[in-house]
């Protein structure tokens, strides 16, 4: 199985029926190594999709292509109804509402948790230092409070971000994306390095976001994947090896051989 093939006319149907992102015949060639090989992928709005696979399967490259970090040599990448992402720079793609979280949390460690969220909310239109001096508007205050509650950091809003645990910094960065109300969230190994308790709470967070936001989650922790996934895409050698509910994926002989093991 190589994933959905979006022939002429089909891609347009996909966008009309509510897809948030689709990639058609995308190839990324690193000096002969095909990180993505005639790759096809799409997902619906407000869907939580988990992407798994062995190292080198193309998972991070998928996120790189969507976010504009990597430009494929061939194919199409369409966001929403008709926005072609390939001509756009990373910052232009981010401004469309595509948020990317990398494996290592990136927060302003010398600012408070609340200030980190506030900066993310206002950074598109104002200078960094002016933001902190401005008076918060009612709507902004509401969104900041709601975001802090969503990621479980309301009680630590005035803490300096550098004092948070690793898992809490991850939640803070997720909050910094959520407060901008992104159309699509890309999350690369979000529970790497977390304690068991933090991983469980992150699962609770992601389940609460499903149905409200569109999320692509790349992850290796199969216990975590079990706890959040309704639909899973398995990559291998730059292609889609299998796709479907986790129960079906777990029984797929090719996935067992290539990734899950017997």
């Amino acid at each position: 199985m190589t994933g959905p093939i979006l022939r002429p006319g089909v891609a347009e149907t996909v966008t009309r029926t509510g897809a948030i992102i689709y990639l058609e015949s995308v190839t990324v060639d690193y000096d002969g190594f095909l990180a993505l090989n005639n790759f096809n992928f799409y997902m619906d709005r407000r869907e939580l999709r988990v992407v798994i696979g062995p190292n080198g399967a193309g998972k991070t490259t998928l996120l790189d292509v969507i976010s504009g970090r990597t430009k494929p040599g061939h194919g199409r990448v369409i966001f929403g109804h008709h926005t072609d992402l390939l001509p756009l720079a990373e910052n232009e793609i981010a401004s469309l509402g595509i948020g990317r979280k990398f494996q290592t949390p990136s927060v302003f460690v010398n600012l408070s948790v609340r200030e980190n969220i506030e900066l993310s909310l206002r950074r598109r239109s104002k200078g960094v230092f002016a933001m902190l001096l401005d008076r918060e508007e009612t709507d902004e205050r509401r969104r900041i409070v709601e975001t802090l509650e969503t990621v479980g950091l309301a009680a630590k809003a005035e803490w300096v971000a550098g004092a948070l645990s690793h898992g809490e910094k991850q939640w803070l960065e997720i909050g910094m994306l959520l407060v901008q109300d992104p159309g699509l969230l890309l999350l690369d190994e979000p529970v790497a390095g977390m304690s068991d308790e933090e991983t469980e709470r992150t699962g609770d967070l992601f389940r609460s976001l499903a149905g409200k936001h569109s999320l692509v989650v790349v992850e290796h922790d199969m216990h975590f994947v079990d706890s959040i996934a309704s639909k899973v895409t398995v990559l291998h050698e730059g292609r889609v090896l299998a796709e479907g509910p986790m129960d079906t994926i777990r029984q797929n002989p090719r996935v067992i051989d290539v990734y899950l093991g017997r």
Side-chain angles (χ1 to χ4, degrees), residues 34 39 43 51 64 88 95 110 116 127 140 146 150 153 180 185 190 209 212 222 225 232 236 245:
L34 296 177
F39 179 81
M43 61 173 277
V51 179
D64 287 344
L88 304 180
S95 70
N110 293 322
N116 271 270
E140 290 179 342
E146 288 177 353
T150 297
L153 292 175
Q180 300 176 55
L185 273 172
L209 298 177
K212 303 174 185 175
M222 294 311 299
V225 172
V232 177
H236 179 55

Side-chain angles (χ1 to χ4, degrees), residues 134-159:
D134 275 358
R135 184 177 179 180
E136 293 178 354
E137 298 294 337
T138 301
D139 182 60
E140 290 179 342
R141 288 200 303 270
R142 176 185 57 79
R143 288 175 64 184
I144 290 168
V145 169
E146 288 177 353
T147 300
L148 288 167
E149 291 174 348
T150 297
V151 299
L153 292 175
K156 296 186 176 181
E158 306 310 324
W159 280 40

Side-chain angles (χ1 to χ4, degrees), residues 7-27:
R7 298 181 179 86
V10 176
E12 287 74 14
T13 300
V14 167
T15 58
R16 287 198 301 268
T17 55
I20 186 67
I21 188 76
Y22 75 83
L23 290 77
E24 181 180 11
S25 303
V26 169
T27 296

Side-chain angles (χ1 to χ4, degrees), residues 41-100:
F41 175 89
Y42 71 85
M43 61 173 277
D44 293 330
R45 294 177 186 274
R46 294 180 293 279
E47 179 184 348
L48 192 165
R49 178 73 63 86
V50 180
V51 179
I52 64 174
N55 291 332
K59 304 182 299 298
T60 297
T61 303
L62 166 61
L63 303 189
D64 287 344
V65 167
I66 296 173
S67 63
R69 192 179 182 91
T70 295
K71 297 297 183 183
H74 178 74
R76 294 202 297 164
V77 183
I78 305 297
F79 174 63
H81 292 293
H82 50 69
T83 303
D84 182 0
L85 297 183
L86 293 187
L88 304 180
E90 269 188 274
N91 65 307
E92 293 173 316
I93 291 174
S95 70
L96 291 175
I98 297 179
R100 172 90 182 263

